[in-house]
Amino acid sequence: MADKPSSDLENDLSHAENPHRSVAATPTKESGSPKVVSASGSAEASDEKTDVPSAAKTSAAKHPVGFIRQTELIDLVKAYDPSADEKVLNKAYVFAMKAHGDQMRQSGDPYFSHPLAVAAILTELNADPATVATALLHDVVEDTDYTLDDIHKHFGPEIAQLVDGVTKLSQIELRDEASKQAENFRKFVMAMADDVRVLLVKLADRLHNMRTLYHIKKAEKRRRIAMETMEIYAPLAGRIGVQRIREELEDISFRELSPDAFATIKARLDDLHEHSVSSVVELATVLREKLVAEGMNAQIYSREKRAYSIWRKMQHKNVSFDELADIYAFRVLVSSVQDCYRALGVIHSNWRLIPAEFDDYISAPKPNNYRSIHTAVIGPPWADGRRQRIEIQIRTHEMHETAERGVAAHWQYKDPDGAAAAGNGSSVEIVGPRQYDPYETPRKLVDMFQSGDDPDEALQYAKLELFQDQIFCFTPKSRVIALPKGATPLDFAYGVHTDVGDQCIAAKINGVQRPLRTPLQTGDVVAILRSENAPVPAEWESIAVTGRARSAIRRRIKKMQYNEHLALGRSIAESVFTGANLQYSIKGVRAGLRRLGKKSVEDVMVSVGRGDLPVQQLIEAVYPGAPASADGEIRPASLNEFKPRVAISGLTPGVSVRMAQCCTPLPGERIVGIRNDDGAVTVHTIYCDTLAKEDPPQNRWLDLKWRAGDDEKLSAFARLVVTVQNGVGVLSEIAGIIARYGISIASIKLHNRSKEFIDLVMDVEVNDAQQLNQALAGVRAAPTVISAERSGMEEDDE
């Protein structure tokens, strides 16, 4: 990093108010070895520092192509904002140039040429002076010894906040590169939700880095950067309406990711341009003449679609290059909305309409405030005799500015809902046509990151949310909800509000109740039917299409499962402690947290309820040295060494008795004893399959029966295997049914879990077989239960 040139910098800043005192971006002599920064951004450069030969230093001292001097940058801003604060811009120019010193890019240019290029891109969007100054300073904190406090000191809180939002978390230690990307994107999302200018600077930064991507030698690295750009930054540019940046980002990424497809389409475009240019000019002239004849002062521009836009439409519509209607398109700019529709009538009266290609975004604007009329017609014959399909876009000059520059067209950056930080100095608010809100997408992304524990998962949902074509549906009150193609009423519900999605039970589409998995179409009016106790079926996550809906469903499922496991864990713990003649207390569990490696009592109970923490380990942590059963698990009245509270008729006094694990006899069942070689007696049910297979000698058989004691009830343990539909709340439901029959659950584990079904293996304490059979009947009656059977215990749980 460049050293702080404090005295020289203060001197230069004191003279920076004079815009005619231009400072060239030559390397300073105050820092050590220059730093090579990759074209993908300064964060990539942290591990690519190299010494640059002296010859390279000499070359770098010359201004690179497109280098903008201080006065030229001021002039660019003054051209659209005559009242711009020159002092701030001059000061930022000098500060950034001196701070970066002799840092170099891989292209051999001074690193300062990069923030300067980013600032120039933002002037093309007519960005406000604070945003342009942020562009000049956006890498200072990350790549030099200057801190955010230095930025705050020299430029104030507004620009400091913007710089902080753009700065990546390059110094944070994360698990891997993917996690680093997720964390960086999380911070970026949080910052742009405070001030959308952060996104404008970041998009301009990424655009310049993509323009110089070819300087990176590693093909794998170029592809990774291009993929990130295609999945995140290009869609974000589209969501806030900055189409010119979105299109260029997509095209450069497409060229890197699919070079063969790019080259093929580019060759076709070049050939079409060579043979069609005269016809395009002629058609534009004819169109202008017809509009003038109707008394309209219209400007007409022809445009050729970019390669990626053509490829995407070919893939989406499954058509060939020759079948596309809008390879060549015309933009008709008129003075008023009325003239837009008058121009549409002139066009349709002279050329044949292609109905499937007509869209009216003036009467129904896109959520990013894009407004225009799109139509396609069969044009006059080209020079080669073919009739070309032509797309025509009709809009006013104001609409055109919004279409090209999006949110930057109005300098309306402040979040009307108060997301922007107080005291940032921004004095304008968003009052766009049709209540356009550029913060809608940032808020959705913020919600994903704030509600999830895993940034990697949130990043994947964010990509899903951004990287999809859209449809536009309506609430009954005519609010427009933008959704990806293929979205369902469930996505619509979460698009309206998370609470609406969480309470969704059904939906009406255009007044008719439809299944929640029904794909929506543009123009559908969707009404959501709600209930405060709405369930969360297991298939909901597969029905949802949007990242927002999937994230919210996953979050709700996790919350419900947590509460379910918490309640079940407490019930199991209390039952087991009681059965082991030990007192259960929250204080005791809290004292054992360190031994268990848990942070709270709730975490312990959730682990017990989920089956991750054996109850034996919990008892050992609370009561170190407590005796364990032979099978390694403490249960009430140990199953392997069962000592009945009642006598069994037919036993020799003092003989050791074991309850067979294969059939777990219960009071009320017919039983038989088998004398073992060690003299102990193992008790089986008379119908035990294992007994039938082994067929012990008759002299070892003992005729036994249960005999209740004077003051005690019969008591024994059994294992149940309950197969249920996998869903939130099933554990609590089954545990609740069993508890209603007065049966205590000693332990529970989940086996054979799949997306649709799950086996609950439960050890329970019962009075007799009749009580167990009644409870099984009640469990089987539950709608989520597939089967419920009694099982032996001789197989240990894995």
Side-chain angles (χ1 to χ4, degrees):
M1 292 186 180
D3 297 331
K4 290 187 182 182
S6 55
S7 59
D8 288 348
L9 179 58
E10 296 292 345
N11 182 57
D12 282 320
L13 289 179
S14 66
H15 294 85
E17 298 179 27
N18 181 4
H20 300 291
R21 183 180 181 274
S22 178
V23 181
T26 53
T28 68
K29 297 181 180 180
E30 298 161 354
S31 57
S33 299
K35 175 181 177 183
V36 176
V37 184
S38 87
S40 66
S42 52
E44 301 290 347
S46 58
D47 56 356
E48 297 187 21
K49 300 176 183 177
T50 59
D51 289 335
V52 179
S54 58
K57 287 186 180 182
T58 303
S59 173
K62 299 178 181 179
H63 295 167
V65 176
F67 188 91
I68 301 176
R69 289 185 174 272
Q70 189 174 348
T71 53
E72 294 171 333
L73 180 63
I74 301 299
D75 290 341
L76 287 174
V77 177
K78 284 281 193 177
Y80 60 82
D81 183 13
S83 62
D85 188 345
E86 297 182 37
K87 178 181 177 180
V88 171
L89 295 173
N90 282 307
K91 195 174 182 180
Y93 189 105
V94 174
F95 189 101
M97 184 269 292
K98 287 289 188 179
H100 286 295
D102 56 3
Q103 292 175 351
M104 309 291 288
R105 287 172 67 84
Q106 287 189 348
S107 62
D109 293 333
Y111 186 77
F112 178 61
S113 65
H114 166 64
L116 196 54
V118 174
I121 291 171
L122 288 170
T123 63
E124 296 173 7
L125 299 178
N126 293 5
D128 70 318
T131 307
V132 177
T134 300
L136 293 169
L137 300 166
H138 78 273
D139 279 334
V140 167
V141 173
E142 183 179 354
D143 290 327
T144 77
D145 287 337
Y146 286 99
T147 66
L148 197 62
D149 288 339
D150 294 321
I151 302 296
H152 189 282
K153 173 185 174 182
H154 289 288
F155 299 96
E158 179 185 6
I159 293 177
Q161 180 177 317
L162 292 173
V163 171
D164 183 43
V166 180
T167 301
K168 294 186 288 291
L169 301 179
S170 59
Q171 298 177 353
I172 195 167
E173 293 183 5
L174 296 165
R175 298 187 300 275
D176 49 34
E177 187 63 36
S179 294
K180 181 177 179 179
Q181 181 196 35
E183 282 290 347
N184 286 336
F185 186 64
R186 181 193 61 79
K187 182 189 177 186
F188 170 50
V189 164
M190 299 300 179
M192 75 179 182
D194 283 343
D195 197 322
V196 79
R197 288 176 292 181
V198 169
L199 178 53
L200 290 176
V201 176
K202 188 59 185 174
L203 290 175
D205 173 52
R206 179 51 63 110
L207 178 57
H208 183 249
N209 285 330
M210 291 301 290
R211 287 174 177 175
T212 57
L213 185 65
Y214 58 88
H215 287 297
I216 297 178
K217 296 179 180 179
K218 297 179 181 179
E220 180 181 352
K221 187 174 182 180
R222 292 197 307 271
R223 286 185 59 84
R224 177 175 58 80
I225 294 169
M227 182 61 72
E228 181 185 64
T229 302
M230 184 71 85
E231 290 182 337
I232 295 176
Y233 292 99
L236 276 172
R239 290 299 177 88
I240 64 169
V242 191
Q243 301 303 325
R244 63 171 67 174
I245 290 183
R246 177 185 65 83
E247 290 178 352
E248 188 173 354
L249 289 175
E250 288 175 341
D251 231 34
I252 299 174
S253 300
F254 178 54
R255 182 177 61 197
E256 182 63 41
L257 296 171
S258 303
D260 293 340
F262 179 87
T264 300
I265 294 175
K266 192 69 169 61
R268 291 294 304 272
L269 285 174
D270 292 342
D271 180 69
L272 184 64
H273 180 76
E274 180 180 351
H275 294 89
S276 304
V277 62
S278 60
S279 299
V280 170
V281 173
E282 180 181 351
L283 180 57
T285 302
V286 172
L287 180 56
R288 183 179 296 105
E289 290 174 350
K290 291 186 178 296
L291 293 174
V292 170
E294 295 296 327
M296 283 179 282
N297 181 19
Q299 294 179 356
I300 299 175
Y301 302 92
S302 63
R303 58 184 281 271
E304 189 178 88
K305 279 237 172 181
R306 290 182 175 268
Y308 176 72
S309 178
I310 292 173
W311 178 84
R312 181 173 57 185
K313 185 159 285 191
M314 290 170 62
Q315 296 293 314
H316 176 67
K317 295 190 174 183
N318 195 26
V319 296
S320 67
F321 184 90
D322 294 327
E323 292 176 293
L324 291 177
D326 56 353
I327 293 177
Y328 274 106
F330 292 92
R331 284 188 180 138
V332 178
L333 304 185
V334 294
S335 301
S336 66
V337 173
Q338 291 78 7
D339 284 347
C340 289
Y341 289 99
R342 288 177 60 201
L344 179 66
V346 171
I347 292 167
H348 285 177
S349 63
N350 284 276
W351 294 285
R352 182 179 176 182
L353 166 70
I354 303 174
E357 301 293 337
F358 178 79
D359 290 293
D360 186 351
Y361 296 116
I362 293 179
S363 63
K366 292 185 178 182
N368 63 5
N369 204 33
Y370 177 85
R371 294 183 296 161
S372 184
I373 295 175
H374 290 198
T375 188
V377 298
I378 303 296
W382 293 129
D384 59 4
R386 295 181 302 162
R387 284 184 174 271
Q388 178 64 37
R389 297 153 62 98
I390 302 294
E391 182 188 82
I392 302 174
Q393 299 173 354
I394 310 169
R395 59 180 69 149
T396 66
H397 295 278
E398 180 186 359
M399 294 175 190
H400 183 65
E401 282 295 296
T402 300
E404 291 297 297
R405 298 193 285 117
V407 66
H410 303 290
W411 289 6
Q412 295 166 337
Y413 306 120
K414 192 175 181 181
D415 185 351
D417 286 351
N424 64 0
S426 182
S427 60
V428 289
E429 297 185 0
I430 296 173
V431 191
R434 303 292 179 123
Q435 300 301 312
Y436 164 53
D437 183 3
Y439 284 90
E440 181 178 0
T441 293
R443 285 198 205 99
K444 289 180 180 179
L445 300 180
V446 166
D447 183 57
M448 291 181 192
F449 279 95
Q450 287 181 333
S451 60
D453 297 328
D454 186 354
D456 296 336
E457 181 181 273
L459 177 60
Q460 295 306 314
Y461 285 138
K463 291 178 180 178
L464 186 66
E465 183 75 19
L466 291 171
F467 194 63
Q468 301 191 51
D469 292 331
Q470 291 185 308
I471 60 172
F472 307 100
C473 300
F474 299 88
T475 68
K477 294 184 178 180
S478 300
R479 176 184 167 190
V480 179
I481 303 296
L483 298 166
K485 290 186 177 179
T488 66
L490 191 58
D491 297 299
F492 181 93
Y494 279 104
V496 174
H497 195 278
T498 302
D499 291 344
V500 176
D502 286 346
Q503 297 175 7
C504 174
I505 56 173
K508 289 184 177 181
I509 304 175
N510 301 321
V512 180
Q513 188 164 332
R514 299 290 187 188
L516 289 176
R517 63 174 65 251
T518 305
L520 297 174
Q521 305 294 329
T522 292
D524 283 345
V525 178
V526 184
I528 301 300
L529 308 182
R530 302 163 61 181
S531 170
E532 292 184 359
N533 299 317
V536 186
E539 67 272 12
W540 266 27
E541 194 173 353
S542 62
I543 291 176
V545 173
T546 64
R548 183 182 189 184
R550 289 188 178 184
S551 176
I553 292 169
R554 178 72 62 86
R555 179 176 69 252
R556 188 179 175 206
I557 288 174
K558 286 182 178 179
K559 182 179 179 180
M560 295 179 70
Q561 287 177 337
Y562 180 90
N563 293 334
E564 177 182 330
H565 290 142
L566 178 62
L568 188 60
R570 284 173 176 164
S571 174
I572 292 174
E574 291 172 359
S575 174
V576 172
F577 271 71
T578 300
N581 296 319
L582 299 171
Q583 183 178 2
Y584 169 80
S585 70
I586 294 178
K587 179 181 178 181
V589 177
R590 187 178 293 116
L593 289 178
R594 175 176 293 184
R595 289 186 287 273
L596 293 169
K598 302 294 183 181
K599 295 181 179 180
S600 67
V601 174
E602 288 74 16
D603 289 345
V604 173
M605 295 301 108
V606 169
S607 296
V608 172
R610 197 166 46 223
D612 297 337
L613 178 64
V615 184
Q616 172 197 358
Q617 188 175 341
L618 173 60
I619 291 182
E620 178 64 27
V622 178
Y623 294 98
S629 62
D631 65 353
E633 183 176 0
I634 294 180
R635 300 186 181 97
S638 174
L639 292 175
N640 278 354
E641 298 294 335
F642 176 69
K643 296 180 180 179
R645 298 174 186 171
V646 297
I648 296 179
S649 298
L651 288 173
T652 302
V655 71
S656 176
V657 179
R658 299 188 183 97
M659 307 307 295
Q661 297 283 294
C662 51
C663 56
T664 58
L666 299 178
E669 295 181 316
R670 292 184 59 188
I671 54 176
V672 64
I674 303 296
R675 184 179 292 108
N676 303 321
D677 293 336
D678 59 1
V681 174
T682 301
V683 181
H684 293 261
T685 65
I686 194 66
Y687 304 109
C688 178
D689 292 336
T690 302
L691 196 62
K693 292 178 182 177
E694 295 180 356
D695 193 19
Q698 289 295 324
N699 62 349
R700 293 194 173 188
W701 287 68
L702 297 174
D703 187 16
L704 306 177
K705 66 178 181 178
W706 298 97
R707 179 171 60 83
D710 296 336
D711 300 320
E712 293 182 296
K713 292 184 178 180
L714 305 177
S715 179
F717 290 85
R719 175 165 294 179
L720 308 180
V721 178
V722 183
T723 302
V724 297
Q725 297 175 1
N726 193 359
V728 177
V730 291
L731 274 175
S732 298
E733 180 185 11
I734 303 305
I737 293 174
I738 291 175
R740 283 198 293 271
Y741 287 89
I743 296 176
S744 298
I745 299 175
S747 67
I748 182 169
K749 292 188 178 180
L750 311 182
H751 285 189
N752 303 322
R753 173 178 279 182
S754 69
K755 191 173 184 180
E756 291 81 17
F757 306 106
I758 189 171
D759 290 341
L760 310 180
V761 181
M762 314 174 75
D763 293 340
V764 297
E765 181 182 7
V766 299
N767 295 329
D768 52 36
Q770 181 181 7
Q771 185 187 31
L772 179 65
N773 290 333
Q774 290 173 344
L776 280 173
V779 170
R780 291 176 184 132
T784 57
V785 173
I786 306 301
S787 65
E789 304 295 338
R790 183 176 163 191
S791 173
M793 294 184 174
E794 58 184 354
E795 293 187 4
D796 292 333
D797 298 332
E798 295 181 359

